[in-house]
């Protein structure tokens, strides 16, 4: 069974930093692309970042480019999102999501999410 | 960048009725469109990929159609568990969602 478990969310002040982690199990992590998708309270889904299976291809949404960094450790079956210079509008549930294959943008599986609240 | 528009924003129907949801892309996306269902407090779930292919375990009452810029998600006969928000997605873009609620 595919499992994606996010951690690292919490309350942070504007301008602060936070690192999210996603622990993957139930599949060969190194064979699949991964994404971070967020959802602000009461709002729709917003794609944040994508990383291919080998980390050779990385994309970011314009709204986070230059502030967020996605990475993965295939030996540890883990995905990360380093978030710096956080803003109020970054407040959201952040989902870790697995692609359909190594370089696919199709999201097949989602974690349950971790809440990030940016507030003073 | 591609923009996805979904209509209607809200669809009020009764169990057993047919639901027809629309997703329109600002430019052609061929058949590269997916649909997701999200219930309150839950993560989204993949329903349809490549416009018309049902994901694993998705009931046959869900079907997708379309290509180019116009796509449709149809739920042939609504079950109580189908009342939720539905999103279309193309690569890095999600539509704003259609809420299907109980009339």
């Amino acid at each position: 069974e595919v499992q994606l478990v996010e951690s690292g969310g919490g309350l942070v002040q504007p301008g602060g930093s936070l690192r999210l982690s996603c622990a993957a199990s139930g599949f060969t992590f190194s064979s699949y692309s991964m994404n971070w998708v967020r959802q602000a309270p009461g709002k729709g889904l917003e794609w944040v970042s994508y990383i291919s299976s080998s980390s050779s291809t990385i994309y970011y949404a314009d709204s986070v480019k230059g502030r967020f960094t996605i990475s993965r450790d295939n030996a540890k079956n883990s995905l990360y999102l380093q978030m710096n210079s956080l803003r109020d509008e970054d407040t959201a549930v952040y989902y870790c999501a697995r692609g359909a294959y190594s370089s696919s943008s199709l999201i097949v599986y989602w974690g349950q999410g971790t809440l990030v609240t940016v507030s003073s | 960048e591609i923009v996805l528009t979904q209509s209607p924003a809200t669809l009020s129907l009764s169990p057993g009725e047919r639901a027809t949801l629309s997703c329109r892309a600002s430019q052609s996306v061929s058949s590269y469109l997916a649909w997701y269902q999200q219930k309150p407090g839950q993560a989204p779930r993949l329903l349809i990929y490549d416009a018309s292919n049902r994901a694993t375990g998705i009931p046959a009452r869900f079907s997708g159609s379309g290509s180019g810029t116009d796509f449709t998600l149809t739920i042939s006969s609504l079950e109580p568990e189908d009342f939720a928000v539905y999103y279309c997605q193309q690569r890095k873009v999600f539509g704003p969602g259609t809420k299907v609620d109980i009339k």
Side-chain angles (χ1 to χ4, degrees), chain A residues 43-57:
Chain A
K43 303 297 184 182
L45 301 170
E46 180 188 14
W47 171 82
V48 173
S49 185
Y50 161 96
I51 186 167
S52 62
S53 59
S54 64
S55 303
S56 60
T57 302

Side-chain angles (χ1 to χ4, degrees), chain A residues 19-78:
Chain A
R19 189 194 196 205
L20 305 183
S21 298
C22 172
S25 61
F27 64 99
T28 304
F29 182 73
S30 60
S31 296
Y32 294 90
S33 61
M34 298 295 296
N35 298 265
W36 288 99
V37 179
R38 68 184 180 184
Q39 187 169 35
K43 303 297 184 182
L45 301 170
E46 180 188 14
W47 171 82
V48 173
S49 185
Y50 161 96
I51 186 167
S52 62
S53 59
S54 64
S55 303
S56 60
T57 302
I58 288 174
Y59 299 118
Y60 297 100
D62 288 344
S63 57
V64 307
K65 200 172 294 182
R67 300 187 298 122
F68 289 11
T69 301
I70 191 172
S71 63
R72 63 191 295 162
D73 186 335
N74 286 343
K76 294 183 178 180
N77 293 339
S78 293

Side-chain angles (χ1 to χ4, degrees), chain A residues 70-105:
Chain A
I70 191 172
S71 63
R72 63 191 295 162
D73 186 335
N74 286 343
K76 294 183 178 180
N77 293 339
S78 293
L79 176 72
Y80 306 101
L81 186 67
Q82 177 68 43
M83 304 186 296
N84 298 330
S85 304
L86 283 161
R87 306 167 180 168
D88 290 351
E89 56 265 33
D90 295 319
T91 293
V93 173
Y94 284 73
Y95 294 102
C96 165
R98 199 202 85 176
Y101 49 85
S102 63
S103 59
S104 173
S105 61

Side-chain angles (χ1 to χ4, degrees), chain A residues 37 39 43-47 50 59-60 62 95 105-113, chain B residues 1 34 36 38 41-46 48-50 87 89 91-96:
Chain A
V37 179
Q39 187 169 35
K43 303 297 184 182
L45 301 170
E46 180 188 14
W47 171 82
Y50 161 96
Y59 299 118
Y60 297 100
D62 288 344
Y95 294 102
S105 61
L106 173 66
I107 294 173
V108 180
Y109 293 101
W110 301 68
Q112 284 305 303
Chain B
E1 181 180 282
Y36 299 87
Q38 188 179 32
Q42 295 186 18
R45 175 175 70 147
L46 176 65
I48 301 288
Y49 66 94
D50 291 348
Y87 296 94
Q89 180 228 4
R91 298 187 188 275
K92 307 174 190 64
V93 180
F94 286 93

